[in-house]
Amino acid sequence: MTENEKLDLILARIQDVETAMQGMKTDMQGMKTDMQGMKTDVQDMKKDVREIKQRVNRLEVAQADMKRELFRIDRKISDTYNLALDAWGQGVENKEWLEGATLKM
């Protein structure tokens, strides 16, 4: 094999390597584009998660408000029941007193 043939062979192999590297470059550019799309998707998901957290926080506040209001309603019901029970008891006592006063006459 002559020197020119050896150089031609080396040149052909270098050209093959360059072609393969061009293919890899194209593939890597495609991967870069895909990764940029994924990055955008991740940012969108982070935004969605933040919004969900805000909504959950608002729900927690509303739930606490509802609990307080339910407690107030429960207290009002208990107070009303106790007042009605006291009034009924007072009415019974008054009736007994009136009946007792009427019998003594």
Side-chain angles (χ1 to χ4, degrees):
M1 203 184 252
T2 66
E3 291 295 319
N4 282 338
E5 289 174 336
K6 288 180 183 178
L7 288 175
D8 287 341
L9 185 59
I10 291 172
L11 182 60
R13 287 191 181 192
I14 288 175
Q15 288 173 343
D16 289 343
V17 169
E18 284 180 347
T19 303
M21 290 182 78
Q22 284 294 331
M24 284 189 240
K25 182 178 178 181
T26 302
D27 291 345
M28 290 184 76
Q29 287 172 339
M31 286 189 258
K32 181 180 178 183
T33 302
D34 291 345
M35 290 185 73
Q36 287 172 339
M38 285 187 250
K39 182 179 178 183
T40 302
D41 291 344
V42 168
Q43 289 172 342
D44 290 343
M45 284 189 274
K46 284 181 179 180
K47 180 183 172 189
D48 292 343
V49 167
R50 279 193 302 271
E51 289 175 8
I52 290 169
K53 283 182 180 180
Q54 289 173 348
R55 288 180 181 179
V56 167
N57 289 337
R58 286 193 299 262
L59 286 172
E60 288 173 348
V61 169
Q63 183 182 22
D65 290 344
M66 289 174 71
K67 275 185 171 182
R68 281 191 294 275
E69 187 62 27
L70 186 60
F71 180 74
R72 279 188 224 128
I73 291 170
D74 184 56
R75 291 288 301 260
K76 286 180 182 181
I77 290 171
S78 293
D79 291 346
T80 302
Y81 176 77
N82 289 333
L83 182 63
L85 194 58
D86 287 344
W88 178 71
Q90 187 67 41
V92 169
E93 288 176 6
N94 288 344
K95 181 181 177 185
E96 289 174 359
W97 180 76
L98 286 173
E99 287 175 353
T102 306
L103 290 177
K104 289 181 183 178
M105 287 191 194

